[in-house]
Amino acid sequence: AQSVTQPDIHITVSEGASLELRCNYSYGATPYLFWYVQSPGQGLQLLLKYFSGDTLVQGIKGFEAEFKRSQSSFNLRKPSVHWSDAAEYFCAVGATDSWGKLQFGAGTQVVVTP
Amino acid sequence: GAVVSQHPSRVICKSGTSVKIECRSLDFQATTMFWYRQFPKQSLMLMATSNEGSKATYEQGVEKDKFLINHASLTLSTLTVTSAHPEDSSFYICSARRTSGETQYFGPGTRLLVL
């Protein structure tokens, strides 16, 4: 069975500083990996995804993530955060069978301070 | 883009009544749609997977007679919470996957409050 761990429940970062959100997964093969962001009152927005190929993935809003098979990780990074990046971030693992069910991590709440 | 809508966005109902939530893919066809439930400050929990024209597949612990799912077309899936009780109060989110593709696109969610 697949599982996802986001070790950090809450992160506070200063505006302009760099941000890294951790995600570790457990899956029998190379899974599909996703990062979603959820802002208050809004639906989940896809930031980026990894299916195969280049392990460094570029996403929207200046985010990137790196797939590291040896560490079973898919950490999300942004070099310089903006106040609008304050939100809940979810890492998700997708099964590679035809159903494509997603398993979500517990989420990391990001607070951006002036 | 890939837009998914949900209706209603918020609903309050009395205990014992049934509530229907609609999930629509507005600009693409979705063979598969998923229904999730999210409790306050928690992650999304998959409730069921619905494929167009067939019965939904429910996750362990989810009562299929309680949460009725219908996926009658490639752009519409409905979740009906039958005989709702206060413990069914939650945030229900749907997602849709293109007929060809692996990415799920999420609706904005429906806040259900059962009094």
Side-chain angles (χ1 to χ4, degrees):
Chain A
Q2 63 213 54
S3 66
V4 186
T5 302
Q6 291 181 247
D8 304 306
I9 297 173
H10 187 275
I11 285 181
T12 299
V13 60
S14 299
E15 191 169 14
S18 63
L19 174 69
E20 180 168 16
L21 304 183
R22 295 183 291 166
C23 174
N24 293 96
Y25 68 90
S26 174
Y27 190 65
T30 300
Y32 298 143
L33 296 162
F34 305 82
W35 274 100
Y36 286 90
V37 60
Q38 185 180 38
S39 299
Q42 298 188 25
L44 275 77
Q45 182 180 21
L46 178 67
L47 288 176
L48 47 77
K49 60 189 177 187
Y50 174 79
F51 290 166
S52 65
D54 193 348
T55 56
L56 184 62
V57 181
Q58 301 298 321
I60 63 171
K61 303 184 177 185
F63 284 94
E64 67 177 25
E66 186 171 11
F67 169 60
K68 292 186 177 180
R69 184 191 306 275
S70 61
Q71 298 177 21
S72 296
S73 68
F74 189 56
N75 295 348
L76 181 71
R77 298 191 293 257
K78 184 168 184 176
S80 177
V81 297
H82 187 262
W83 63 266
S84 60
D85 294 322
E88 185 93 21
Y89 292 80
F90 292 97
C91 179
V93 172
T96 54
D97 59 20
S98 59
W99 293 85
K101 295 192 293 186
L102 291 182
Q103 179 82 37
F104 281 84
T108 298
Q109 181 72 48
V110 172
V111 174
V112 180
T113 59
Chain B
V3 180
V4 177
S5 69
Q6 280 184 243
H7 178 79
S9 58
R10 183 187 299 265
V11 57
I12 301 173
C13 69
K14 293 182 179 179
S15 186
T17 61
S18 295
V19 175
K20 179 184 285 188
I21 302 170
E22 292 184 348
C23 176
R24 293 182 185 273
S25 57
L26 298 184
D27 52 0
F28 67 98
Q29 293 186 329
T31 306
T32 306
M33 289 184 171
F34 302 87
W35 286 95
Y36 296 83
R37 186 172 178 175
Q38 185 180 29
F39 290 102
K41 300 189 183 300
Q42 294 188 30
S43 188
L44 284 76
M45 299 300 295
L46 180 65
M47 298 174 64
T49 302
S50 80
N51 287 296
E52 185 264 339
S54 63
K55 290 184 178 181
T57 302
Y58 291 81
E59 295 300 299
Q60 192 171 10
V62 177
E63 301 175 58
K64 61 180 180 181
D65 295 329
K66 172 80 171 169
F67 299 99
L68 300 179
I69 291 173
N70 183 276
H71 192 163
S73 77
L74 286 173
T75 59
L76 173 64
S77 176
T78 60
L79 168 68
T80 301
V81 183
T82 62
S83 186
H85 291 282
E87 57 266 29
D88 298 324
S89 298
S90 190
F91 195 50
Y92 292 88
I93 303 172
C94 74
S95 71
R97 195 179 71 168
R98 292 178 188 272
T99 300
S100 57
E102 299 301 336
T103 302
Q104 291 183 30
Y105 299 93
F106 285 80
T110 297
R111 178 79 58 191
L112 171 64
L113 177 62
V114 185
L115 301 177

